[in-house]
Amino acid sequence: MVEKIALIKEQVLEAIENASSLNIIAGGSKEFLGRKITGTPLEMGRYQGIINYEPSELFITVKAGTLLGEIIQVLAERGQMLAFEPPQFTEKTTVGGVVATGLSGPRRAYTGSVRDYVLGIHCINGLGQDLSFGGQVMKNVAGYDLSRVMTGSYGTLGVILDVTFKVMPIPEFELTCFCELSRKDALTKMYELSCKPFPVSASCYDGEKLYLRISGYRDTVKTILTGIGFEEYLNGDQFWRNLRDFRSSFFNTDKNIWRLSLPVTAKPEIGDDQYLIDWGGAQYWIKSDRPANEFFKMAEELGGNATLFKGTGHNENIFQPLQEDMMIIQQGLKRAFDPHSVLNPGKMYAAI
Amino acid sequence: MQFDDLTKLLPAEAILLSEESRRVYECDALSAHRVIPGCVVLPDTIKQVQDVLAYCHSNDIPVVARGAGTGLSGGAMPHAEGVLLNLAKFDQIISLDPLQKIARVQPGVRNLAISDAARPHGLYYAPDPSSQIACTIGGNVAENSGGVHCLKYGLTVHNILQIKVVTITGNLITIGSHALDSPGYDLLALFTGSEGMLGVIVEVTVKLLPIPPFNKVLLAAFDNIENAGEGVAGIIANGIIPAGLEMMDKAGIRAVEGFVHAGYPVDAEAILLCELDGTEDEVNNGLNQVKNLLSGYGATQVRIAKDEAESKLFWAGRKAAFPAVGRISPDYYCMDGTIPRKHLAKVLTGINELSIKHKLAVVNVFHAGDGNLHPLILYDVAKPGELERAERFGSEILELCIEMGGTITGEHGVGVEKIREMCIQFSEDELEQFHAVKAVFDNKGLLNPGKAVPTLNRCAEFGAMHIHKGKDKFPELERF
C-alpha cells in the first residue's frame, strides 16, 4: 500500500518536474462528464480495498479505486447504506469518482449530499504532499474542512487516496407510489409533503406522473400510503435505480442532457423540451439542443446553476460560468492546493 | 491614534474607545484568556462592515469578529492592537419562506430565535448547541456548532444553504445559493467552522425542518462504563438513529442529581439518555426495542418516560450538567475531544488516571451517539497553580483523543485554546496547506490572528510537543 502511494506521489512530482499535467482516472464511468482534458493518465483503479468498516461507529474508510458496487454490498450486509445514493453509471464506478464529482442520487434532497457524508479524506496535493483532513468521527472541527472542499472538485485539488464516509441504516421498509398530476399540482404536492414530517425519501415528476418513495417503519409507511391517495408502484426499486443511473428511457437520447439545480420554488422556462423533475423540485433534467447560454442565463436568473451533463460541446463551459470575483477565489484555492497546475487542470473550468 | 479615522466610517456611538467600554469585550466564554481590544465597533449596515474591513486592510489592523461571545475556545478573544467587530446589531430575521423551508437571517440572530420564528409554520432549525438561547447564528457558522441532536440532524454545515461574507478587502461575496448545490469548489463547507479566519459573515440562509410529531426519552443505568458504551454501539448497530444519545458518569450523575433532582440513580456508574423522534407508534416501538437491547447489555434499570413531563425532567438533568458542576466547584474547564466510541472505556480510564496525576477531579458528560466527550475539569482559580494544572490536564486529555484516532475538538473549535494541540493532530505539510488556504482570503493575516491554525514557528515554540510518533516534526526550525 505504501509503495503504491509512493508511486502516485512520484507521478505528481514528475509532472511538476516536466511541467506537464495528470489526468486522474479510475473506472471511467463518468467519462462523459466535465470538460475534456489532456494529461498523462494517473490510474487509480487498482488502488482498491476497504481499510476499515465499523458498523456500530457508522463509518467506512475505503481506498479511492474501490468499486462503489462492492461498498454498497458490504454495507447492505450489515443493514447500512451510503445515504446520498450515488449514481453507478456502470459497474466500474469507483468511490474516488463519486467523491471527485460529488454526485448524489434521488435520496439527496431528503438525506443529504456526498459532502454531507464525507468525514475525512487522505490525499496527495499538487505538491506531492501526503495529507489527511477530517477523520473517522462525525464531529470534528479541527482545522478547515478541506475534505468537504475536495468533494466535488473533480480531482483538481488533490489525488484522493482514501475516503471516510458516515454511513446510515437502510430504512426498514420502502415503497413507491404514483399519481397522475399536472406539473403545477405535482410541484405543490412535493412542497406540501416536504413541509410535513412525512418520510419521503425520493420524488420524481416525469411530465405526467408524480412518483414518491416513502421510507421508514413498515407500519408507518403502509399507513401513509393509505392516507395519501396514491397508487402503489410495484417496481419501485428499479424505478429509482434507473433514475439514479441514467437508465430510464428518458436518458436514452441524442440530445444534450442539461441538469438544473434550482431553489425548489423556481419555475424554469422549459418550453417544448422533455424534462424530469426530482429532488422535490430542486433538480431538473432537460433534454434539449438549445444553446448553452440560454440554460446558464436562466439558471442564474433563478438563483441556481446549470450543467451540460451529457452531450456535445464538452470543450466549452459545461458548468455554470462563475462571476469574476468568485473565479478569482477559485483560482486562488486551486493555486493553494496545486500551484503548478498538474492535477486535472481544466476539468471543471478552463482557468482552474 | 490608528483608530481615529474609523469615526469617518461609523457614527460616534458605534465606536467604543474608552477602556471601561472595551473591557466588556475582553473575553468570550473561555474566560481564562483575556485581552482588552484596541477598539470596539458596532456597525449596523453591511456597508459599514465593508468600510471597516477595507480600512483595517489598508492600515494593517487586525480584526476579530464577535457574535454573542458564548464560544468556549477563545475564538472571539480580542487583539490588543486590533478592532473587535461586534455584529450584535445585525439581529433581524430578513425573511422566512415556509414553502422553501428556509430563513434568511442576519448573523446576530440568536439560534433559538430562528426556531421560535419557524414554529408557527411547523418548522424549526435543527442544530441546538447548549448555548442556543444566547449564541448567534453567525458564531454557529464560524464554529460549525453541533448540539445534542446532531447524530441524526447534522451540524451547522449540514443545515445552511448560503452565506454572505465580507472579505478583508471589503468585498461582499455570496457563497452557496438557495439551490441544493453551487458550481465550483464548496466554499460554504470551507467557511463553515473557519473560526472567523477567512471573512466576516453578514448573512446566513438556514434550512428549516418539519418539527417531529412526537418524541420521548429513555433513561438507562449501568454499573460499569463498558456496558454503557456497548449499549450505545448496540443501539446504532441495530439500525436505530436516536435524535439524542447522551451519557454521564457517576460524578456527573451525582452533581446533577444534587442540583435538579431529575430522578437519576445516584449509585449507577453511568447513565444513558436516549431520545427517539418520529410518529408516536414509531417512537414507542423503537423505545421498547432500545429497552430490550440495553437490558441485554447489562443495564441495571431502564425507564421509559411516562409522559412529556418526565421526558423533560430526564433532559433537564443533562442540560443542567454544566451549572450543576459550577455549583460543586468554583471553576471548571470544559474539554471537547471526539473519539471513536469503541475506545470510550479506555479513554475514561485514562482520564481518571490523569485526574489522579494532576490532583484535580473530573466529571464526564458525553454526546455518546457521535463520540464527542465533554470532560469537565474541576479547579479553583484562586488556588495558585490550579488553572495551569487544569490546562495541562485538558491538553493531555486531547492528546489521548488523538492517540485513539479521534480529534481535539468536536464542536467548540480550536480558537486560542487548542492551538498547541493542532501541532500534534496535524503534520507540518497539513498545517501549511491550511495556511495556503488562509492566504487566498487574507494574505496579510489580519482576520482573527493567532487563532485556529498555529504557525510552524508557534509549533516549534511548544518544544516538547513535537516529538510526535517518535520523530521531531519540525527539525528545520530553530528552538527557543
Side-chain angles (χ1 to χ4, degrees):
Chain A
M1 184 183 132
V2 174
E3 286 77 17
K4 194 63 197 284
I5 293 176
L7 216 63
I8 296 165
K9 234 187 236 184
E10 208 172 286
Q11 286 201 57
V12 172
L13 295 175
E14 244 174 56
I16 298 173
E17 178 88 31
N18 304 333
S20 61
S21 64
L22 298 171
N23 179 12
I24 308 164
I25 47 175
S29 73
K30 290 182 270 288
E31 219 176 356
F32 60 86
L33 186 61
R35 298 175 77 252
K36 294 279 169 282
I37 55 167
T38 54
T40 315
L42 173 57
E43 267 285 356
M44 293 299 294
R46 275 183 297 183
Y47 191 69
Q48 288 194 353
I50 294 171
I51 296 173
N52 196 356
Y53 172 34
E54 301 261 2
S56 70
E57 305 265 344
L58 294 178
F59 78 80
I60 187 166
T61 305
V62 292
K63 293 186 189 173
T66 314
L67 295 177
L68 175 61
E70 184 191 333
I71 306 295
I72 290 175
Q73 197 189 328
V74 167
L75 293 174
E77 281 164 15
R78 306 298 295 266
Q80 295 184 331
M81 63 175 185
L82 296 173
F84 46 93
E85 210 174 3
Q88 206 178 342
F89 293 124
T90 74
E91 61 192 24
K92 290 183 177 166
T93 297
T94 63
V95 169
V98 167
V99 176
T101 56
L103 295 182
S104 309
R107 210 181 291 271
R108 187 263 176 267
Y110 306 93
T111 51
S113 64
V114 184
R115 72 89 134 143
D116 289 338
Y117 289 90
V118 166
L119 297 178
I121 279 184
H122 175 201
C123 67
I124 304 281
N125 70 2
L127 290 167
Q129 292 168 327
D130 187 332
L131 310 173
S132 289
F133 300 109
Q136 297 181 328
V137 291
M138 60 191 80
K139 268 165 110 178
N140 184 356
V141 293
Y144 304 125
D145 198 348
L146 299 187
S147 51
R148 290 199 168 97
V149 175
M150 294 189 71
T151 307
S153 67
Y154 282 80
T156 60
L157 300 179
V159 182
I160 298 168
L161 297 174
D162 42 77
V163 184
T164 301
F165 295 108
K166 180 183 179 185
V167 298
M168 293 296 272
I170 295 172
E172 179 186 286
F173 185 70
E174 296 195 316
L175 66 73
T176 299
C177 55
F178 70 98
C179 182
E180 274 186 42
L181 290 169
S182 69
R183 189 197 328 173
K184 185 166 169 284
D185 290 345
L187 286 168
T188 308
K189 192 83 194 166
M190 286 194 268
Y191 308 149
E192 273 176 20
L193 292 176
S194 78
C195 293
K196 291 181 189 152
F198 186 93
V200 179
S201 67
S203 56
C204 174
Y205 179 67
D206 66 359
E208 290 173 3
K209 298 189 189 80
L210 172 63
Y211 296 84
L212 298 175
R213 181 174 60 195
I214 311 171
S215 307
Y217 288 103
R218 182 179 296 267
D219 293 349
T220 317
V221 172
K222 290 274 187 192
T223 314
I224 284 168
L225 181 68
T226 323
I228 183 178
F230 275 46
E231 197 173 321
E232 185 167 355
Y233 183 86
L234 293 174
N235 223 348
D237 284 354
Q238 195 173 358
F239 176 88
W240 299 110
R241 216 166 31 238
N242 287 345
L243 174 66
R244 182 192 78 185
D245 298 343
F246 271 27
R247 288 172 209 271
S248 310
S249 57
F250 173 87
F251 296 103
N252 188 5
T253 177
D254 294 331
K255 293 189 174 186
N256 285 336
I257 298 175
W258 284 87
R259 170 185 182 268
L260 267 64
S261 173
L262 302 172
V264 282
T265 48
K267 302 272 186 314
E269 208 37 71
I270 301 175
D272 295 332
D273 292 329
Q274 277 189 294
Y275 65 94
L276 274 182
I277 304 175
D278 76 10
W279 292 6
Q283 180 170 257
Y284 285 69
W285 297 103
I286 301 175
K287 288 194 280 197
S288 176
D289 288 327
R290 281 152 68 192
N293 281 341
E294 280 188 32
F295 286 98
F296 291 137
K297 187 162 170 280
M298 175 166 66
E300 191 184 333
E301 283 168 4
L302 293 169
N305 68 88
T307 308
L308 173 53
F309 209 79
K310 200 169 185 180
T312 51
H314 271 249
N315 293 318
E316 314 298 322
N317 262 340
I318 71 140
F319 295 100
Q320 183 79 31
L322 300 173
Q323 305 283 346
E324 197 190 335
D325 56 351
M326 184 51 75
M327 185 48 98
I328 290 170
I329 293 173
Q330 304 266 330
Q331 286 175 296
L333 272 178
K334 169 72 174 173
R335 273 196 302 273
F337 282 87
D338 180 21
H340 305 288
S341 205
V342 295
L343 304 175
N344 278 7
K347 188 72 188 172
M348 293 173 93
Y349 293 96
I352 57 173
Chain B
M1 183 65 187
Q2 60 174 343
F3 303 120
D4 288 353
D5 284 343
L6 286 170
T7 53
K8 294 177 190 155
L9 309 174
L10 295 166
E13 67 275 14
I15 307 173
L16 309 180
L17 288 168
S18 74
E19 192 183 325
E20 67 271 26
S21 61
R22 288 182 285 129
R23 187 180 292 279
V24 174
Y25 298 94
E26 67 181 348
C27 65
D28 59 14
L30 184 74
S31 56
H33 295 254
R34 292 167 194 260
V35 174
I36 298 175
C39 150
V40 179
V41 297
L42 295 104
D44 61 4
T45 67
I46 290 176
K47 173 75 169 53
Q48 288 173 355
V49 175
Q50 290 179 275
D51 290 346
V52 168
L53 288 171
Y55 176 80
C56 291
H57 184 247
S58 307
N59 294 283
D60 295 333
I61 301 170
V63 182
V64 177
R66 175 185 170 112
T70 56
L72 290 163
S73 58
M77 189 186 80
H79 192 286
E81 282 91 46
V83 166
L84 185 86
L85 181 61
N86 185 338
L87 293 149
K89 288 186 181 171
F90 289 84
D91 61 353
Q92 297 300 305
I93 294 176
I94 301 164
S95 63
L96 192 153
D97 182 343
L99 218 49
Q100 286 196 72
K101 291 188 295 171
I102 59 173
R104 269 179 66 204
V105 303
Q106 292 187 323
V109 170
R110 289 175 305 112
N111 173 297
L112 194 59
I114 302 173
S115 288
D116 286 344
R119 193 169 301 116
H121 306 284
L123 303 170
Y124 77 116
Y125 176 64
D128 58 346
S130 59
S131 54
Q132 73 176 151
I133 55 165
C135 65
T136 63
I137 190 69
N140 288 179
V141 175
E143 301 292 327
N144 193 13
S145 304
V148 293
H149 291 101
C150 55
L151 173 65
K152 185 165 179 181
Y153 295 104
L155 306 158
T156 304
V157 71
H158 301 105
N159 288 281
I160 58 173
L161 280 174
Q162 176 184 288
I163 54 175
K164 289 187 181 174
V165 170
V166 178
T167 64
I168 186 65
T169 54
N171 280 343
L172 177 66
I173 54 171
T174 300
I175 290 172
S177 70
H178 291 177
L180 291 178
D181 46 52
S182 295
Y185 302 134
D186 194 337
L187 300 184
L188 191 60
L190 176 61
F191 268 75
T192 310
S194 64
E195 302 196 21
M197 302 285 287
L198 307 179
V200 175
I201 296 158
V202 291
E203 188 188 303
V204 183
T205 300
V206 301
K207 293 184 203 170
L208 303 172
L209 296 179
I211 298 171
F214 190 76
N215 62 59
K216 205 186 253 188
V217 186
L218 164 156
L219 169 73
F222 291 85
D223 55 14
N224 73 64
I225 293 265
E226 284 87 348
N227 288 359
E230 281 166 16
V232 170
I235 292 171
I236 288 167
N238 272 278
I240 300 166
I241 303 293
L245 188 54
E246 297 289 312
M247 194 191 287
M248 201 183 281
D249 72 357
K250 189 173 202 165
I253 300 165
R254 292 191 166 175
V256 161
E257 196 50 30
F259 184 44
V260 290
H261 312 295
Y264 291 175
V266 288
D267 51 347
E269 284 298 319
I271 58 162
L272 276 183
L273 289 178
C274 174
E275 178 189 291
L276 299 189
D277 63 9
T279 66
E280 192 167 346
D281 283 349
E282 280 171 9
V283 170
N284 287 328
N285 292 341
L287 283 180
N288 282 328
Q289 200 186 341
V290 171
K291 183 177 178 176
N292 292 336
L293 273 168
L294 293 180
S295 301
Y297 284 100
T300 50
Q301 59 163 296
V302 184
R303 283 153 53 194
I304 296 175
K306 290 190 296 289
D307 49 25
E308 207 184 322
E310 197 171 34
S311 279
K312 281 203 171 127
L313 186 64
F314 286 171
W315 266 124
R318 169 60 185 89
K319 288 185 174 169
F322 288 24
V325 168
R327 200 170 140 264
I328 58 169
S329 173
D331 299 282
Y332 64 88
Y333 183 32
C334 174
M335 305 312 296
D336 176 44
T338 303
I339 52 163
R341 227 183 317 93
K342 62 181 173 189
H343 298 310
L344 175 64
K346 216 188 288 179
V347 170
L348 289 183
T349 307
I351 291 175
N352 285 335
E353 284 165 8
L354 289 171
S355 168
I356 294 164
K357 173 180 159 191
H358 292 284
K359 300 189 185 68
L360 291 172
V362 64
V363 167
N364 286 294
V365 293
F366 182 39
H367 300 305
D370 47 42
N372 190 196
L373 286 168
H374 290 316
L376 303 172
I377 300 169
L378 314 190
Y379 71 99
D380 183 351
V381 77
K383 291 187 186 155
E386 283 216 349
L387 171 62
E388 291 71 22
R389 263 181 15 239
E391 289 189 332
R392 270 203 307 279
F393 184 178
S395 184
E396 286 171 26
I397 292 176
L398 298 184
E399 285 181 48
L400 185 60
C401 292
I402 300 173
E403 223 174 274
M404 294 294 148
T407 178
I408 56 173
T409 174
E411 57 185 355
H412 295 170
V414 173
V416 289
E417 184 200 18
K418 302 174 204 78
I419 199 96
R420 81 198 251 134
E421 290 78 12
M422 284 291 285
C423 308
I424 306 175
Q425 182 159 339
F426 292 100
S427 70
E428 182 179 358
D429 286 349
E430 287 156 357
L431 293 173
E432 276 186 346
Q433 183 67 74
F434 289 144
H435 288 300
V437 169
K438 161 84 168 170
V440 174
F441 297 90
D442 178 22
N443 63 356
K444 291 185 174 180
L446 296 172
L447 288 168
N448 226 0
K451 315 278 179 66
V453 183
T455 60
L456 299 184
N457 276 318
R458 190 94 191 266
C459 287
E461 284 169 36
F462 292 139
M465 309 279 306
H466 311 135
I467 311 302
H468 179 51
K469 292 174 190 164
K471 57 180 189 216
D472 192 330
K473 287 172 73 185
F474 304 100
E476 75 285 8
L477 294 175
E478 212 180 338
R479 301 289 178 229
F480 304 101

